[in-house]
Amino acid sequence: MLFLQAIQWILDPEHWSEVNFQAGIAEELGDHLWLSFLAVVFTAAVALPIGLYIGHTGRGRGFAIVVANVVRAVPTLGLLSVLLLVSLTIPPAVFVFVLLGVPPLLAGAYAGLEAIDRQTIDASRAMGMTEWQILRRVELPLAAPLILGGLRGATLQIIASVTLVSNFGINSLGDFILGGLAANDYVQMTAGAILVTVLALLVDGLLAVLQRFATPRGVPRGRGASTARVRRLPVPNRAPVSEGN
């Protein structure tokens, strides 16, 4: 069976050091992770400040949605081809993957803040908090699950898309897929696909655990910031007023 043969190919110790006189699984995995890490870091640096600003102030949401939809429509492989043909280096590739990862993280950031009940924000202002304190101590903790959900989506897209750089001579796990295709070695192709899938699932699982523990106490897990409400204090029953004689 092809799938079992691919698993055996991955478990072969020789393939972790060298495959057909080229880099082995360990080196390709390291390069794939490094490029993905760079793209995720720059994506967060771009998307989080903008998303938090939109979610906190309510300004620019329509413009952000339009820009995100335009970026989603850009063909990743086509843009990679244009940029990497000009300069076969890592920065152009990272730029493309940042464009790919910004929309889901941007949406998660501003949606997480917008989902918080306005009564919670108003109560914080009534307590004398500054806008920065409200963002840091109230909005970010409550919005963290949705923000991490956006990060999960961005990270998965980046990890899956990094395989494309192998078309341009940059090391990634996609080398096994392209090398297998060139040699009609379907076992190697399947092994490469399995490696990318397992890597994406492992990273997504780690982020899912982090997302679970990021849910504030008192908020049901899995429901996010939309369940955050200001607890209304019970109004004490008034004692009946006795009528004067």
Side-chain angles (χ1 to χ4, degrees):
M1 186 178 179
L2 184 61
F3 181 81
L4 294 178
Q5 291 176 340
I7 296 296
Q8 293 176 352
W9 188 95
I10 294 172
L11 296 178
D12 188 342
E14 293 183 358
H15 292 154
W16 283 83
S17 57
E18 183 180 289
V19 177
N20 297 330
F21 303 102
Q22 296 180 351
I25 296 176
E27 182 177 346
E28 299 285 13
L29 178 61
D31 292 335
H32 196 110
L33 281 172
W34 174 242
L35 188 54
S36 300
F37 174 76
L38 288 177
V40 171
V41 168
F42 283 106
T43 295
V46 172
L48 280 180
I50 299 175
L52 295 178
Y53 173 80
I54 294 173
H56 181 73
T57 64
R59 301 172 184 172
R61 185 176 185 275
F63 177 75
I65 292 175
V66 172
V67 173
N69 289 335
V70 171
V71 171
R72 283 193 180 103
V74 175
T76 304
L77 183 58
L79 187 57
L80 267 175
S81 301
V82 173
L83 294 179
L84 291 178
L85 287 177
V86 174
S87 176
L88 288 174
T89 56
I90 288 180
V94 172
F95 174 76
V96 174
F97 298 134
V98 168
L99 290 181
L100 186 66
V102 162
L105 183 53
L106 178 63
Y110 72 69
L113 267 65
E114 286 183 346
I116 300 173
D117 194 328
R118 292 298 96 185
Q119 292 183 10
T120 305
I121 308 302
D122 294 339
S124 302
R125 291 194 178 102
M127 293 172 60
M129 287 186 177
T130 64
E131 296 301 313
W132 170 247
Q133 288 175 328
I134 292 173
L135 176 63
R136 182 171 58 90
R137 298 174 60 182
V138 178
E139 292 179 321
L140 276 178
L142 291 174
L146 289 179
I147 294 175
L148 287 173
L151 180 63
R152 288 175 62 186
T155 303
L156 282 178
Q157 291 191 33
I158 289 172
I159 289 176
S161 300
V162 165
T163 56
L164 297 175
V165 299
S166 295
N167 289 286
F168 307 95
I170 299 176
N171 287 348
S172 76
L173 292 175
D175 286 344
F176 300 127
I177 300 175
L178 292 179
L181 179 63
N184 290 325
D185 188 345
Y186 297 108
V187 173
Q188 180 178 321
M189 287 179 60
T190 305
I194 291 174
L195 286 170
V196 175
T197 303
V198 170
L199 176 61
L201 291 176
L202 286 176
V203 174
D204 183 62
L206 291 175
L207 291 175
V209 172
L210 182 61
Q211 182 181 11
R212 181 177 180 85
F213 283 102
T215 304
R217 294 181 180 179
V219 177
R221 290 179 176 177
R223 296 179 63 184
S226 62
T227 60
R229 296 290 186 271
V230 175
R231 294 183 178 180
R232 298 181 179 179
L233 297 178
V235 179
N237 295 326
R238 294 183 179 179
V241 180
S242 59
E243 296 181 0
N245 296 328

